[in-house]
Amino acid sequence: MLKIGITGGIGSGKTTVCRVFETLGIPVFYADVVAKDIMVSDPLLIAGVKQAFGEASYLEHQVLNKAHIAQIVFNNETELAKLNALVHPAVFRAFDQWVEQVPANSPYILKEAALLFESDSYKMCDKTIVVVAPFSLKKSRVMLRDQVTEAQVQARMDKQFSDEHKIKMADFLIHNEESASIILQVLALHEQFIK
Ligand code: ATP
């Protein structure tokens, strides 16, 4: 089955674009949502996290101790890489399982991931889409959605590849700015993918 990876900077509108694909009946794997979920449900991952960051990584009843993990990986590239080396393969495993159960008549599937390129996850996809939007629009959308400051959005943006870098790696682009219709762009890509 054709696998399309979709990514874009924070606030570019990846999830919004994926919702449009879903209305066309296309199954979407939301890697970032799954990553959060498996942190508390994948026994192999939980064991790895406890081994790497201590038993204090989990509170009672398998509740993730986010403050503990954040304190370790915050501004520490080595520890963050250690966490990613545990989480990314677990997400890949979850993706493989998910692909097995999508309806067989689906013409293609989408994998949405903020770090599609950074995590090498794009290598498991046949094609990639990057959603792009102007810098100021992305910032204002996220500030409004998450009720955070400009500096907090900037800090998150700094952890991702630049748009220029992502655009170079992309097979297709979707422009999600005020004047562009994402519906028409999604329909055009959908037509290509089902051919
Ligand atoms: P993140 O990386 O933070 O998960 P994202 O790329 O998935 O972000 P979305 O959550 O889809 O981005 O969009 C960010 C915000 O901007 C949301 O509140 C969404 O409703 C809004 N938004 C996105 N695209 C549009 C649009 N074309 N018109 C109006 N609002 C939009």
Side-chain angles (χ1 to χ4, degrees):
M1 191 180 300
L2 184 67
K3 300 185 185 85
I4 313 283
I6 179 162
T7 190
I10 174 170
S12 57
K14 303 176 282 299
T15 307
T16 307
V17 167
C18 286
R19 299 280 184 229
V20 181
F21 276 104
E22 281 189 299
T23 64
L24 299 170
I26 302 306
V28 181
F29 179 86
Y30 292 96
D32 304 324
V33 176
V34 171
K36 280 192 193 127
D37 183 47
I38 58 176
M39 284 298 284
V40 292
S41 63
D42 179 334
L44 202 62
L45 177 59
I46 294 171
V49 170
K50 283 185 181 170
Q51 196 177 15
F53 305 112
E55 289 290 325
S57 304
Y58 288 85
L59 306 168
E60 275 177 56
H61 309 300
Q62 302 281 63
V63 174
L64 185 67
N65 187 348
K66 285 187 200 157
H68 173 80
I69 308 253
Q71 186 205 346
I72 297 173
V73 304
F74 187 71
N75 282 341
N76 187 326
E77 293 296 326
T78 314
E79 295 299 325
L80 182 61
K82 216 192 269 181
L83 179 62
N84 284 338
L86 291 164
V87 177
H88 291 159
V91 176
F92 295 169
R93 288 196 297 275
F95 177 65
D96 286 342
Q97 283 171 10
W98 177 85
V99 168
E100 292 298 313
Q101 56 77 53
V102 296
N105 61 352
S106 307
Y108 61 95
I109 54 106
L110 288 185
K111 180 183 198 182
E112 190 232 45
L115 301 180
L116 188 78
F117 294 124
E118 294 86 336
S119 68
D120 277 350
S121 175
Y122 75 99
K123 290 181 180 164
M124 295 167 81
C125 300
D126 302 297
K127 296 285 174 196
T128 59
I129 302 171
V130 170
V131 181
V132 286
F135 189 63
S136 56
L137 188 56
K138 286 190 289 192
K139 263 193 182 168
S140 57
R141 279 176 182 161
V142 177
M143 286 167 69
L144 188 69
R145 185 193 61 189
D146 299 346
Q147 296 296 301
V148 289
T149 64
E150 191 173 346
Q152 284 169 313
V153 182
Q154 187 63 54
R156 288 197 225 165
M157 286 177 161
D158 290 345
K159 292 198 171 63
Q160 303 184 340
F161 284 174
S162 67
D163 269 8
E164 292 70 31
H165 194 142
K166 286 181 183 137
I167 288 168
K168 276 192 196 135
M169 297 181 80
D171 295 301
F172 305 99
L173 298 180
I174 289 182
H175 295 274
N176 184 19
E177 50 210 66
E178 307 283 17
S179 58
S181 161
I182 52 173
I183 295 176
L184 291 180
Q185 294 176 79
V186 167
L187 285 173
L189 284 180
H190 179 72
E191 289 301 319
Q192 279 194 53
F193 297 151
I194 58 176
K195 269 184 199 155

